[in-house]
Amino acid sequence: MCFAFDGEGTLLHNLTYNENTPARFMDTFAFRMAITSLFFVPIFVMVVCYTHILFVVKKQQNRWNDISRMGSIRTKGRGSHKICREKKQLESNVRALYTTLLILGSCFIGWTPALLFYTLACSKGCYLQGEALVDLNCNHRTTVLILRLTDNMLVILKMLANPIIYSIRMREIKDGTHRMSMALLGVFCPSRRDDMISSGYYYRSRNQNSTGGTIQLRLTSFKSANRNGSHIALGKDCENAFL
């Protein structure tokens, strides 16, 4: 792309003679729009495609919900296991789509200000050019500094957001986030932390993230045993196990 815009042969001259002559085509609006389009066009296409996929998957998910409400004719044997497996895979696909859209949204928010400033301000053909650009750089240095600091910070925050978006749904991350928040409350607001511990909020959150499936399985087994007429001794040890 650079060689296509370099009508004067500056890049080839620099490579041949190992010089550093400024390439004036890089300060033109056409070149900067071409560079910016490499970002905006793929992002736009990806957002359209993944949004369409999301609508299709959500439509399929609604069909599964309708089948669950009406009752499927294949409720026993391998068919039911296959249906459950396909339903879980569909839910996993929905979560993956939401994660992808979050990543695309963070790209747009993080990179758009820097690219807009890069495209709007140049020496030839841009919205801010010539004397207007010189006046902005000389007489409004604080404003330019704030704008450049903001767009660079957004780029850095975008890179920091990627691992957070990918891992925020993991149970271990959720549990660690709760423990970190409780530790911070213990440092800055001990009374509120004590209130949350006494109310059981922290332990309920941990149970929901880690042991909810185990508790549900135990209760289901307990109900099945009662239907079959089994005699279960609800002694002290058994009560402690279920609690």
Side-chain angles (χ1 to χ4, degrees), residues 5 19 28 38 45 48 50 55 57 119 121 124 141-142 155 159 163 165 179 186 191 201 221-222 238:
F5 279 92
E19 295 182 358
T28 61
L38 294 178
V45 173
V48 172
Y50 276 98
F55 280 121
V57 173
T119 307
K124 183 179 179 181
R141 295 182 179 180
T142 304
V155 172
M159 292 186 290
I165 294 174
R179 287 190 279 113
S191 59
Y201 166 79
S221 302
F222 175 67
C238 185

Side-chain angles (χ1 to χ4, degrees), residues 66 91 137 177 196:
D66 294 338
E91 294 174 353
N137 289 327
T177 303
M196 294 178 68

Side-chain angles (χ1 to χ4, degrees), residues 105-118:
S106 67
C107 290
F108 184 80
I109 295 173
W111 292 342
T112 297
L115 288 172
L116 285 178
F117 195 86
Y118 175 77

Side-chain angles (χ1 to χ4, degrees), residues 46-58 97 101:
M46 292 173 69
V47 168
V48 172
C49 292
Y50 276 98
T51 303
H52 175 69
I53 295 172
L54 180 62
F55 280 121
V56 173
V57 173
K58 291 295 289 183
L97 284 171
L101 289 175

Side-chain angles (χ1 to χ4, degrees), residues 121-235:
C122 64
S123 61
K124 183 179 179 181
C126 294
Y127 179 77
L128 293 173
Q129 61 176 336
E131 295 181 358
L133 182 60
V134 173
D135 178 72
L136 179 65
N137 289 327
C138 295
N139 301 326
H140 302 84
R141 295 182 179 180
T142 304
T143 303
V144 174
L145 179 62
I146 293 174
L147 291 175
R148 299 302 299 173
L149 180 63
T150 301
D151 63 51
N152 279 277
M153 287 300 298
L154 286 175
V155 172
I156 295 173
L157 290 176
K158 182 263 172 296
M159 292 186 290
L160 293 177
N162 284 344
I164 297 175
I165 294 174
Y166 278 119
S167 62
I168 195 65
R169 297 176 183 271
M170 297 174 61
R171 291 179 177 177
E172 294 81 3
I173 298 298
K174 290 182 179 180
D175 185 64
T177 303
H178 280 296
R179 287 190 279 113
M180 182 177 65
S181 62
M182 295 296 289
L184 292 175
L185 283 175
V187 174
F188 298 102
C189 189
S191 59
R192 184 179 178 186
R193 178 179 181 273
D194 295 338
D195 292 339
M196 294 178 68
I197 292 177
S198 62
S199 64
Y201 166 79
Y202 171 60
Y203 298 102
R204 286 199 303 271
S205 301
R206 292 196 65 182
N207 287 334
Q208 290 174 0
N209 290 332
S210 58
T211 61
T214 304
I215 294 174
Q216 184 178 3
L217 178 61
R218 289 178 178 176
L219 292 177
T220 304
S221 302
F222 175 67
K223 292 177 181 178
S224 300
N226 279 340
R227 287 197 206 98
N228 296 331
S230 301
H231 297 285
I232 300 177
L234 295 178

Side-chain angles (χ1 to χ4, degrees), residues 15-32:
L15 291 174
T16 304
Y17 298 100
N18 193 24
E19 295 182 358
N20 191 24
T21 305
R24 290 184 292 180
F25 71 90
M26 291 187 177
D27 291 331
T28 61
F29 178 75
F31 176 78
R32 297 198 174 194

Side-chain angles (χ1 to χ4, degrees), residues 51-65 90 94-95 97-98:
T51 303
H52 175 69
I53 295 172
L54 180 62
F55 280 121
V56 173
V57 173
K58 291 295 289 183
K59 186 177 180 180
Q60 182 66 27
Q61 193 176 37
N62 293 333
R63 290 179 181 176
W64 278 113
N65 294 333
L90 182 64
V94 173
R95 290 194 297 268
L97 284 171
Y98 279 124

